[in-house]
């Protein structure tokens, strides 16, 4: 007996190796792990979508905010244009942490120039932001035309509306609107406060705040260890200027419509 609740052989999209995925707990989102790299289902879903959309991801200019997963380590190791950042209130924005070396960036107020990146990655970050509208607007600003933001975020409310759990008051003090919930944070033992319980309307929210175009990907593939709750992958694309121009011929009935409009005006 293996002692595992679930044990499946397959190929891991994170380490790209034959692997055995195992779980000793029924909450697969945190416990269905790759035996090679230790990745979780949401990381494998993100890397599968990334490989499908941009198999050349190693050649891209990439910014990842708040890394800390096996997928983060893969991106850092194999993409020379990869830059990571965390936010530390005691470190100047744009500067490196004096001890750990990571770059300090506030996702809501970044120091990167416009059009810096082909790809921005966030993994379980947007449920912890007080101003996700400003964050996604900044993401859009730093993306090159044709670039995209790829992220995971637990969509716990599904088809129900998103709900804010905490906010900042005018003095910057945290105001709890619901019982506080914290998730693990790789640089803070106290964890990260959950500020929003997102629903599927997150796509409309992100688009309205940024001008990007967001698609929600839902994956379920046991052969790649992709199965769990709340592992949707969001892809927000910054549209390039269209190269499709009018063909020069007038649209059908264009003259008739213009005549009617003049008569009615």
């Amino acid at each position: 007996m293996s002692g595992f609740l679930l044990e499946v052989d397959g190929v891991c999209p994170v380490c790209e190796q034959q692997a055995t995925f195992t779980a000793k707990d029924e909450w697969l989102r945190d416990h269905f792990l790759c035996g090679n790299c230790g990745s979780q289902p949401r990381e494998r879903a993100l890397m599968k979508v990334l490989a499908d959309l941009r198999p050349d991801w190693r050649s891209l200019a990439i910014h990842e905010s708040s890394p800390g997963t096996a997928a983060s380590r893969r991106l850092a190791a194999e993409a020379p244009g990869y830059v990571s950042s965390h936010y530390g209130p005691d470190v100047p924005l744009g500067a490196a942490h004096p001890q750990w070396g990571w770059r300090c960036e506030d996702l809501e107020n970044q120091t990167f120039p416009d059009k810096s990146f082909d790809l921005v990655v966030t993994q379980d970050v947007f449920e912890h932001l007080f101003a996700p509208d400003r964050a996604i607007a900044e993401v859009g600003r730093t993306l090159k035309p044709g670039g995209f933001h790829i992220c995971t975020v637990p969509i716990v409310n599904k088809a129900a509306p998103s709900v804010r759990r905490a906010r900042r008051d005018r003095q910057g003090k945290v105001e709890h609107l619901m019982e506080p919930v914290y998730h693990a944070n790789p640089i803070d033992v106290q964890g990260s406060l959950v500020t929003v319980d997102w629903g599927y309307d997150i796509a409309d929210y992100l688009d309205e705040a940024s001008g990007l175009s967001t698609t929600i990907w839902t994956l379920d593939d046991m052969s790649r260890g992709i199965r769990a709750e709340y592992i949707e992958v969001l892809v927000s694309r910054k549209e390039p200027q269209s190269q499709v121009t009018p063909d020069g011929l007038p649209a059908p009935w264009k003259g008739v419509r213009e005549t009617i409009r003049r008569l009615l005006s």
Side-chain angles (χ1 to χ4, degrees):
M1 297 292 290
S2 67
F4 294 116
L5 178 70
L6 181 63
E7 186 172 5
V8 179
D9 293 328
V11 177
C12 176
V14 174
C15 61
E16 294 186 339
Q17 301 293 321
Q18 294 284 336
T20 299
F21 309 107
T22 58
K24 290 186 175 182
D25 189 290
E26 63 182 11
W27 184 244
L28 301 184
R29 191 176 197 270
D30 295 332
H31 298 281
F32 192 29
L33 306 179
C34 171
N36 295 331
C37 65
S39 63
Q40 299 172 336
R42 61 181 172 87
E43 302 172 58
R44 298 192 285 269
L46 182 142
M47 291 301 292
K48 175 64 168 62
V49 172
L50 177 57
D52 287 348
L53 289 175
R54 291 300 300 263
D56 63 339
W57 59 264
R58 293 170 181 81
S59 67
L60 303 181
I62 303 172
H63 170 218
E64 181 173 12
S65 175
S66 306
T69 68
S72 302
R73 293 188 289 274
R74 180 79 188 281
L75 293 170
E78 299 191 19
Y82 175 89
V83 176
S84 65
S85 69
H86 290 279
Y87 175 66
D90 299 327
V91 181
L93 294 179
H97 189 282
Q99 180 178 1
W100 305 112
W102 44 259
R103 178 177 175 129
C104 179
E105 290 289 344
D106 180 351
L107 196 59
E108 301 171 7
N109 181 29
Q110 300 177 47
T111 67
F112 295 113
D114 295 354
K115 303 176 184 178
S116 293
F117 303 107
D118 303 295
L119 171 66
V120 175
V121 178
T122 60
Q123 300 184 63
D124 282 23
V125 170
F126 268 73
E127 72 271 29
H128 301 297
L129 300 174
F130 285 102
D133 55 335
R134 289 200 288 270
I136 194 62
E138 279 288 270
V139 168
R141 179 185 66 77
T142 62
L143 280 175
K144 300 176 184 179
F148 59 91
H149 171 229
I150 184 169
C151 78
T152 58
V153 60
I155 303 180
V156 297
N157 282 13
K158 297 187 182 297
S162 299
V163 176
R164 181 174 284 279
R165 301 185 62 92
R167 63 187 179 190
R168 292 179 294 216
D169 64 19
R170 293 183 179 274
Q171 287 72 45
K173 183 179 178 181
V174 176
E175 179 183 356
H176 296 285
L177 307 176
M178 302 174 69
E179 187 70 23
V181 172
Y182 293 85
H183 293 168
N185 184 325
I187 66 167
D188 189 343
V189 295
Q190 294 182 349
S192 295
L193 177 68
V194 178
T195 58
V196 181
D197 285 340
W198 290 108
Y200 292 129
D201 58 2
I202 185 176
D204 294 332
Y205 178 95
L206 297 177
D207 291 353
E208 183 176 353
S210 66
L212 303 177
S213 178
T214 302
T215 303
I216 300 176
W217 295 56
T218 302
L219 286 76
D220 183 79
D221 185 348
M222 286 294 277
S223 70
R224 290 177 170 82
I226 302 174
R227 178 167 296 175
E229 279 276 20
Y230 313 142
I231 60 170
E232 291 90 351
V233 179
L234 281 68
V235 178
S236 301
R237 188 166 185 262
K238 185 173 185 176
E239 300 295 340
Q241 184 174 358
S242 177
Q243 300 301 307
V244 180
T245 58
D247 63 6
L249 293 176
W253 304 102
K254 180 179 179 181
V256 174
R257 291 199 302 270
E258 291 178 349
T259 300
I260 292 173
R261 187 178 299 113
R262 286 196 299 269
L263 291 172
L264 295 177
S265 62

